Amino acid sequence: KQEVTQIPAALSVPEGENLVLNCSFTDSAIYNLQWFRQDPGKGLTSLLLIQSSQREQTSGRLNASLDKSSGRSTLYIAASQPGDSATYLCAVRDPGANSKLTFGKGITLSVRP
Amino acid sequence: DAGVIQSPRHEVTEMGQEVTLRCKPISGHDYLFWYRQTMMRGLELLIYFNNNVPIDDSGMPEDRFSAKMPNASFSTLKIQPSEPRDSAVYFCASRQTGGHSSGNTIYFGEGSWLTVV
């Protein structure tokens, strides 16, 4: 059974700092991995999706990498801003036509002005 | 597109009452998912449908929970009778089948915040 872990559960950094959020998964046979953002009282918004054949994806100040063999992914946020404060979740999708996503519990990020 | 639409956004009900949560997926999406989110357990998949057919309901916690998808644009999650431990945020999500290059991004609704007292 696939398990996804995100440590630490919470992180507080000063504005402007570059930071890395970690995600690990137990079964390396994945179809893709997705990073989401969740603001308080809101649903999840997809940030980046990395296919199993890819190593990284970039969108603006965000860069996500994937190392399947070690069962790890990182989300890099450059020049963090207070508006980046949110909970960041990663999820992996197993292979198979009807496969589902398994989520980590998320990392709650606070960027201090 | 308006995105995944859920209703009600908030509901407070008494223990023992029936609760019905509703979802309208994004038009053209053939997969629909129901998730439950709590502080203790995070996001848990309850059930999902493909082309209106339930594929995996192994996450449905008890017989008190049931879900239907009568057509491609509507799904319900029902709890009967409700209990305080059912208090959580219930999310509906949808995605579209695609090739390897399409991404298959999943889109979430804003959630239904349920409190059972």
Side-chain angles (χ1 to χ4, degrees):
Chain A
K1 180 185 173 185
Q2 181 73 269
E3 292 183 5
V4 179
T5 303
Q6 294 183 256
I7 296 173
L11 188 63
S12 180
V13 300
E15 182 176 4
E17 191 164 297
N18 301 324
L19 56 99
V20 174
L21 306 181
N22 294 307
C23 171
S24 62
F25 46 95
T26 53
D27 188 343
S28 62
I30 65 172
Y31 183 72
N32 62 37
L33 182 144
Q34 204 163 351
W35 281 92
F36 294 85
R37 168 180 174 145
Q38 185 176 27
D39 292 290
K42 300 290 187 180
L44 281 71
T45 301
S46 179
L47 295 173
L48 290 165
L49 183 149
I50 310 176
Q51 299 288 2
S52 61
S53 59
Q54 298 174 321
R55 298 281 297 185
E56 64 179 347
Q57 282 287 331
T58 298
S59 176
R61 295 183 293 108
L62 305 180
N63 175 275
S65 67
L66 174 65
D67 183 344
K68 276 200 317 177
S69 61
S70 65
R72 295 178 189 274
S73 175
T74 61
L75 179 67
Y76 175 82
I77 303 177
S80 59
Q81 303 170 358
D84 296 328
S85 298
T87 297
Y88 293 81
L89 299 93
C90 74
V92 298
R93 183 178 163 198
D94 294 331
N98 287 322
S99 61
K100 54 194 178 187
L101 287 177
T102 302
F103 282 84
K105 289 191 175 180
I107 299 173
T108 299
L109 172 66
S110 173
V111 181
R112 308 186 300 272
Chain B
D1 198 307
V4 177
I5 299 173
Q6 292 187 243
S7 65
R9 287 296 319 278
H10 300 271
E11 176 142 350
V12 180
T13 190
E14 291 186 348
M15 182 174 62
Q17 296 297 307
E18 177 179 295
V19 174
T20 299
L21 308 178
R22 298 173 178 80
C23 176
K24 181 181 187 307
I26 292 174
S27 177
H29 284 192
D30 55 341
Y31 280 87
L32 183 140
F33 305 82
W34 282 101
Y35 286 89
R36 178 172 68 176
Q37 187 178 39
T38 61
M39 288 289 291
M40 287 293 293
R41 301 172 70 95
L43 262 171
E44 302 174 280
L45 178 65
L46 300 177
I47 184 172
Y48 72 100
F49 298 82
N50 177 223
N51 291 321
N52 314 337
V53 176
I55 301 300
D56 185 348
D57 65 354
S58 60
M60 297 285 260
E62 299 169 34
D63 291 345
R64 298 184 296 106
F65 286 69
S66 63
K68 294 182 180 179
M69 191 166 186
N71 57 63
S73 59
F74 183 67
S75 176
T76 60
L77 177 67
K78 187 174 293 187
I79 308 172
Q80 167 62 21
S82 58
E83 297 181 3
R85 60 195 168 117
D86 301 330
S87 298
V89 185
Y90 291 83
F91 287 104
C92 177
S94 70
R95 71 172 171 88
Q96 184 177 41
T97 298
H100 186 79
S101 61
S102 75
N104 303 147
T105 300
I106 187 170
Y107 296 87
F108 279 76
E110 296 274 272
S112 291
W113 298 70
L114 174 65
T115 302
V116 183
V117 298

